[in-house]
């Protein structure tokens, strides 16, 4: 069963920033990691991923640079900025608060 995109769509920026907290990366690798960590249940569409990169870069939350993959191809790598780190921590805190509220609402205070 795949996760409905509607449930995750609003958290694309947080997902990307959290991946970049781990290390600089490029689009395909980030999406591959997202798929792997979700057990294959979630993957960003390429258009969504690169639109998010553009938006995050315009906001100053990430920066990009060209790097060599060691296999001959040049790749555009993304790195998180100090502002991006702050935004990521804020988004992760918001996610935890939202998760607690949803858990309470959906399980009627912890009881199914």
């Amino acid at each position: 069963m795949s996760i409905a995109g509607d449930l995750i769509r609003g958290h694309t920026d947080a997902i990307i920033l959290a991946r970049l907290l781990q290390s600089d990366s490029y689009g395909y690798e980030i999406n591959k990691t997202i798929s792997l960590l979700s057990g294959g249940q979630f993957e960003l569409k390429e258009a969504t991923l690169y639109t998010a990169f553009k938006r995050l870069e315009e906001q100053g939350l990430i920066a990009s640079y060209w790097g060599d993959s060691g296999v001959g191809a040049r790749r555009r790598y993304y790195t998180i900025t100090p502002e991006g780190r702050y935004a990521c921590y804020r988004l992760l805190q918001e996610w935890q608060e939202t998760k607690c509220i949803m858990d309470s609402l959906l399980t009627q205070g912890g009881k199914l």
Side-chain angles (χ1 to χ4, degrees):
M1 173 182 206
S2 67
I3 298 171
D6 292 354
L7 296 174
I8 297 181
R9 190 172 296 123
H11 304 285
T12 301
D13 291 355
I15 292 167
I16 292 170
L17 292 173
R19 298 293 9 112
L20 292 174
L21 274 178
Q22 304 305 310
S23 66
D24 294 3
S25 193
Y26 54 95
Y28 176 77
E29 183 177 57
I30 289 172
N31 214 8
K32 191 169 92 176
T33 302
I34 290 168
S35 179
L36 180 68
L37 292 175
S38 70
Q41 294 185 65
F42 184 70
E43 190 172 301
L44 291 170
K45 292 182 180 171
E46 191 173 321
T48 300
L49 184 65
Y50 288 98
T51 299
F53 285 150
K54 183 177 181 185
R55 181 180 58 254
L56 292 168
E57 196 163 19
E58 287 172 353
Q59 293 173 350
L61 303 181
I62 65 173
S64 64
Y65 60 92
W66 289 100
D68 292 324
S69 66
V71 188
R74 286 182 41 128
R75 293 186 173 131
R76 188 177 194 123
Y77 284 81
Y78 296 90
T79 187
I80 194 166
T81 65
E83 294 85 3
R85 288 180 182 279
Y86 175 77
C88 185
Y89 293 131
R90 182 180 47 78
L91 290 169
L92 293 174
Q93 181 178 2
E94 287 175 13
W95 165 251
Q96 289 301 323
E97 292 168 2
T98 301
K99 185 174 173 269
C100 284
I101 291 168
M102 291 303 294
D103 284 346
S104 293
L105 294 172
L106 295 175
T107 62
Q108 302 164 349
K111 300 175 188 173
L112 282 177

